[in-house]
Amino acid sequence: RVRGPDVEPESTAGAPGAAATTRRPSGKAHFRGDPYDVATGGDFITQGTSVRVVSVDGMRVVVEPVA
C-alpha cells in the first residue's frame, strides 16, 4: 500500500527515509516504515539512497538526497 494524499506536512517535512525505487524524477520512498509516492526537484536518485522530505504540496511529496 503506497501512501500519498494523507501526508501531513508538519509531521513529514524533514523526515529521513530511503529510496525504495530509482527516481527519475518520481518514484517511491519509505518513511517510518510506510511507502510513499515521491518526486525530486529533478535529481536522479538511485534505490537505497537516504532521502529527506523537502516539501509537501497537496499530494506532491518532494524529497532530496541526504548528503
Side-chain angles (χ1 to χ4, degrees), residues 3-29:
R3 301 178 68 166
D6 61 345
V7 173
E8 295 294 329
E10 59 277 356
S11 65
T12 310
T21 61
T22 298
R23 262 167 301 301
R24 323 179 173 117
S26 64
K28 300 188 185 334

Side-chain angles (χ1 to χ4, degrees), residues 9 12-15 31 39-41 43 51-56 61-65:
T12 310
F31 297 96
T40 70
D43 298 325
V51 296
R52 72 172 163 235
V53 175
V54 176
S55 66
V56 178
V61 179
V62 179
V63 299
E64 68 182 7

